[in-house]
């Protein structure tokens, strides 16, 4: 697919959902059923009500409105004004045949307006839902209501950070910065005063127009423009769209896990990661070749198993109000990193890769900016000039990845400047900043579509560079931005820029919610910055305890990577003292020992669409208590991980799911404990609450890890 067809990507994703669904257990009747009621009708699929209509609570309302989007540093203030809203309360049944239903909806307030509503079976486990509007006129807003149970839970909508269960709240689908602090705390309020960067509980880099319901279905909406899911009503899920038509696909499988597997497979499962990135730790270092190699030798002497060195400032650096920033000209700065090419070759012989950084923006005045601007490969203002956007201390242009020529130029630059250099991978950052007054040479995109599709195009550009160079499965770009369609291009996600603290609004705990919500949205392999990123001393500064608690949790994720943060001198680092180095060395080796198990999880992801990290209830759907656990996760089918998320504690708590299943505390005395119980265990730093399933095929490996990295006699089981 060429980048010029990027506008079609969401529609193509829906087509893939239609044609490429995972085979699952038959669920009895797959009929689409229309049932008249006293006040209206219901429409069901597989015997489950999907829509319920009556004159006082119609499925559809149509109207008009206008929206103002204002942007500053990737944060958007969205002001919505509804000018008109008409309930489509009258209906007539046109046809039904067991495999499809066609209903016409009208309103007395506009006799010329007609909405034809179609539901059609695609397969045993999926239906297509669509509308056609006649005489739409100036209508540009639509409200769609799906029936809901009062106790129903909802998850996903891409990557979320504050809440796993989304019921009771609304969630816009609009990619942006996640915000600093979030949820109205002191840090969020201060960030708002200092530039509107505070964020909200719903702001996210990777929103997606889909959700997963506890009624075992997932709904995907084919519309790249701004929309809002509203889950606040006990009896319905409402979708608000900037459109007068609706098109979606609903998947429903025999279990929640099967539905998630179908979603991941249909959107495109992530490919295998190379062994090197699954072992040891990637060290975030910077400020030149000498400094990079100094920290590598320091870590190696201390016994750290180093898999990679990540140098985000390989292209140069600039100091801004936000701290030490990368110079956005994505070519090797030979002055800042002399002999980097030789270092890459030498380190590769030791099994260590060098990783770097890139984003879709070019700093004003750089040679890449000038080249792209001269050839018309940057997004423009209304007069056709290269758009220069404020990125907090400097101006930069955005590569027009929606334009096939701009896409191919940038792909070639990645191949020439990064792949040919032999880098092991790179952080493919940003993608969320496209303003509505920025224009693309691909003129069939409206402004909202340009904004939400740029992250998809950015993921596609990186993937195309890998595939064209034969480096897929060898080199690893990791991304934070995304939308519907991104997961089929991305090979690894990361959780973005958390605060260097313990806050549940924007600190370490949010990385768990991020991984689990992405897992239920089709992105099955993720990781995070150990210790967080956003620093503003003295209010925000990483402590030794936070760094080590974060690192011990990262052991039980696919990829273990550190980040110095935006103000490294204010943060505790892996190299801050010898004790930290030695503790980190132990954790890095533990991560390496887990590689056979982690590899099996990646193989399962590619083969079946099973996410590597997932909420407990996907594996234990019959355990009602598993649905209430948000800050634990399954690392594959055989490990329950409950990271320590509070400072100053020496014991941890974990819920062990599954009646009839026995679990063994990794650091305990080997005594099995029953599933369906809450366990409190001693958890000094370096020994997070982790339990393995008794009888696991990897039980011997887990026991070896316990002996090699545990304490003699085990840690105390409190109860």
């Amino acid at each position: 697919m060429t980048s010029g067809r990027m506008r079609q990507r969401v529609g193509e994703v829906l087509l893939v959902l239609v044609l490429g669904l995972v085979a699952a257990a038959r669920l009895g009747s797959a009929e689409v059923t229309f049932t008249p009621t006293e006040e209206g009708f219901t429409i069901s699929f597989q015997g489950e009500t999907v829509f319920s209509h009556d004159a006082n609570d119609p499925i559809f309302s149509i109207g008009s409105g206008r929206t103002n989007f204002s942007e500053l540093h990737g944060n958007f203030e969205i002001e919505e004004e509804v000018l008109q809203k008409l309930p489509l309360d009258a209906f007539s049944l046109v046809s039904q045949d067991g495999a499809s239903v066609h209903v016409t909806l009208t309103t007395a307030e506009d006799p010329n307006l007609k909405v034809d509503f179609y539901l059609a079976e695609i397969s045993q486990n999926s239906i297509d839902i669509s509308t056609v509007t006649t005489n739409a006129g100036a209508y540009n807003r639509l409200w769609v209501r799906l029936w809901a149970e009062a106790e129903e839970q909802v998850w996903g909508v891409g990557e979320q950070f504050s809440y796993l269960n989304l019921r009771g709240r609304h969630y816009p689908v609009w990619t942006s910065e996640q915000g600093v602090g979030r949820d109205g705390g002191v840090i969020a309020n201060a960030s708002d005063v200092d530039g509107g960067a505070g964020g909200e509980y719903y702001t996210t880099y990777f929103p997606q127009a889909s959700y997963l319901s506890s009624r075992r279905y997932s709904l995907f909406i084919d519309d790249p423009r701004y929309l809002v899911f509203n889950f606040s009503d006990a009896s319905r899920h409402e979708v608000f769209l900037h459109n007068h038509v609706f098109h979606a696909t609903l998947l429903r499988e025999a279990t929640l896990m099967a539905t998630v597997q179908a979603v991941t497979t249909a959107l495109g499962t992530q490919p295998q990661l190379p062994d090197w990135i699954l072992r040891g730790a990637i060290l975030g270092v910077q400020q030149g070749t000498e400094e990079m190699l100094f920290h590598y030798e320091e870590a190696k002497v201390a016994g750290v198993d180093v898999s990679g060195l990540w140098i985000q400032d390989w292209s140069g650096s600039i100091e801004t109000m936000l701290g030490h920033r990368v110079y956005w000209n994505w070519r090797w700065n030979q002055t800042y990193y002399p002999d980097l090419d030789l270092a890459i070759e030498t380190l590769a012989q030791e099994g260590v890769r060098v990783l770097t950084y890139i984003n879709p923006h070019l700093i004003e005045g750089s040679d890449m900016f000038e080249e792209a601007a001269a050839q018309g490969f940057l997004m423009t203002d209304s007069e056709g000039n290269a758009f220069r956007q404020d990125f907090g201390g400097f101006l930069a242009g955005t590569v027009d990845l929606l334009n096939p020529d701009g896409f191919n130029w940038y792909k070639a630059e990645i191949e020439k400047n990064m792949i040919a250099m032999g880098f092991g991978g790179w952080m493919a950052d940003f993608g969320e900043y496209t303003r509505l007054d920025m224009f693309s040479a691909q003129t069939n995109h409206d402004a909202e579509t340009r904004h939400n599709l740029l992250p998809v195009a950015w993921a596609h550009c990186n993937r195309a560079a890998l595939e064209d160079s034969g480096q897929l499965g060898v080199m690893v770009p990791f991304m934070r931005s995304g939308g519907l369609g991104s997961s089929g291009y991305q090979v690894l996600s990361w959780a973005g820029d958390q605060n260097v603290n313990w806050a549940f609004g924007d600190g370490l705990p949010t990385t768990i919610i991020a991984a689990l919500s992405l897992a239920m949205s089709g992105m099955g392999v993720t990781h995070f910055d150990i210790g967080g990123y956003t620093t503003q001393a003295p209010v925000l500064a990483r402590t030794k305890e936070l760094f080590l608690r974060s690192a011990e949790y990262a052991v039980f994720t696919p990829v273990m990577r550190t980040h110095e943060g935006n103000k490294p001198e204010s943060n505790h680092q892996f190299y801050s003292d010898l004790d930290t180095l030695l503790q980190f060395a132990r954790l890095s080796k533990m991560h390496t020992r887990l590689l056979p198990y982690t590899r099996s999880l990646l193989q399962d992801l590619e083969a079946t669409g099973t996410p590597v990290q997932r909420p407990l209830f996907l594996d234990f759907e019959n355990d009602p208590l598993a649905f209430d656990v948000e800050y634990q996760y399954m690392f594959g089918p055989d490990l329950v991980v409950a990271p320590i998320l509070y400072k100053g504690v020496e014991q941890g708590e974990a819920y062990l799911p599954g009646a009839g299943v026995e679990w063994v505390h990794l650091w305990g005395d080997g005594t099995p404990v029953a599933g369906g119980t809450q366990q409190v265990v001693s958890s000094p730093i370096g020994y997070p609450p982790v339990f393995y399933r008794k009888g696991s095929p990897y039980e011997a490996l887990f026991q070896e890890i316990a002996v090699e990295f545990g304490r003699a006699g085990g840690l105390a089981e409190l109860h």
Side-chain angles (χ1 to χ4, degrees), residues 592-649:
T592 297
R593 293 288 284 118
L594 275 169
L595 193 151
Y597 180 67
T598 306
R599 168 59 63 208
S600 74
L601 305 185
L602 269 294
Q603 291 170 342
D604 200 23
L605 169 63
E606 186 177 41
T608 67
T610 307
V612 174
Q613 291 169 262
R614 61 256 197 176
L616 273 58
F617 58 77
L618 286 190
D619 289 88
F620 297 94
E621 189 173 338
N622 293 325
D623 184 342
L625 295 181
F627 286 81
D628 297 326
V629 179
E630 293 191 319
Y631 291 98
Q632 294 179 211
Y633 61 91
M634 301 297 301
F635 186 48
D638 297 331
L639 289 179
V640 173
V641 183
I644 298 295
L645 302 176
Y646 296 92
K647 65 180 179 180
V649 303

Side-chain angles (χ1 to χ4, degrees), residues 297-538:
E297 292 297 331
E298 183 181 38
K300 187 168 65 170
V301 168
V304 177
D305 189 349
V306 181
S307 60
L309 300 170
W310 176 52
I311 50 169
Q312 63 175 354
D313 59 349
W314 69 293
S315 58
S317 67
I318 182 172
E319 293 296 326
T320 75
M321 62 183 182
L322 299 178
H324 183 73
R325 301 283 301 278
V326 180
Y327 187 72
W328 293 4
N329 185 59
W330 312 119
R331 290 170 180 167
W332 170 27
N333 187 316
Q334 298 188 42
T335 301
Y336 200 43
Y337 276 90
D339 300 323
L340 179 60
D341 53 346
L342 299 178
I344 290 172
E345 292 181 7
T346 301
L347 289 165
Q349 294 172 6
E350 300 183 26
V352 178
R353 306 305 196 276
V354 176
L355 298 89
T356 185
Y357 176 99
I358 190 173
N359 66 47
H361 311 292
L362 305 173
I363 193 167
E364 182 182 33
S366 67
D367 53 1
M368 288 187 71
F369 176 95
E370 298 300 335
E371 290 173 21
Q375 297 179 77
F377 295 157
L378 296 179
M379 299 189 79
T380 66
D381 59 24
S382 59
E383 297 180 355
N385 301 312
F387 197 106
R388 292 160 171 82
Q389 192 171 5
D390 182 3
F391 280 90
F394 56 84
L395 300 178
T398 299
V399 179
D400 186 358
L401 296 170
L402 303 174
N403 170 12
D405 294 331
F407 179 100
N408 289 326
W409 174 78
Y410 210 40
K411 178 175 71 69
E413 288 293 317
I414 293 173
E415 293 169 356
K416 177 177 64 177
N417 300 330
M418 306 182 78
I419 293 176
M421 276 284 290
F423 290 122
W426 53 90
M427 175 182 281
D429 204 359
F430 286 88
E432 312 90 351
Y433 280 52
T434 309
R435 294 163 51 115
L436 277 76
D437 54 353
M438 295 169 64
F439 297 89
S440 167
Q442 190 72 9
T443 54
N444 63 324
H445 297 306
D446 62 78
E448 293 181 21
T449 295
R450 287 194 296 270
H451 174 84
N452 270 347
L453 279 189
L454 192 79
V456 183
W458 180 221
H460 181 204
C461 186
N462 283 271
R463 178 66 170 264
L466 290 178
E467 291 179 341
D468 289 356
S469 303
Q471 294 301 307
L472 185 64
V474 179
M475 296 180 176
V476 184
F478 47 98
M479 307 189 70
R480 71 178 191 182
S481 67
L484 186 59
S486 293
S487 61
Y489 292 133
Q490 291 191 15
V491 297
L492 176 65
S493 178
W494 111 93
D497 299 342
Q498 283 71 49
N499 287 346
V500 290
N501 66 7
W502 307 86
F504 280 72
D506 194 19
L508 177 63
T510 64
T511 61
I512 300 175
I513 302 298
L516 303 188
S517 57
L518 275 179
M520 293 182 284
S521 300
M523 187 66 216
V525 56
T526 70
H527 75 301
F528 66 98
D529 294 338
I530 291 175
Y533 168 81
T534 303
T535 312
Q536 190 63 55

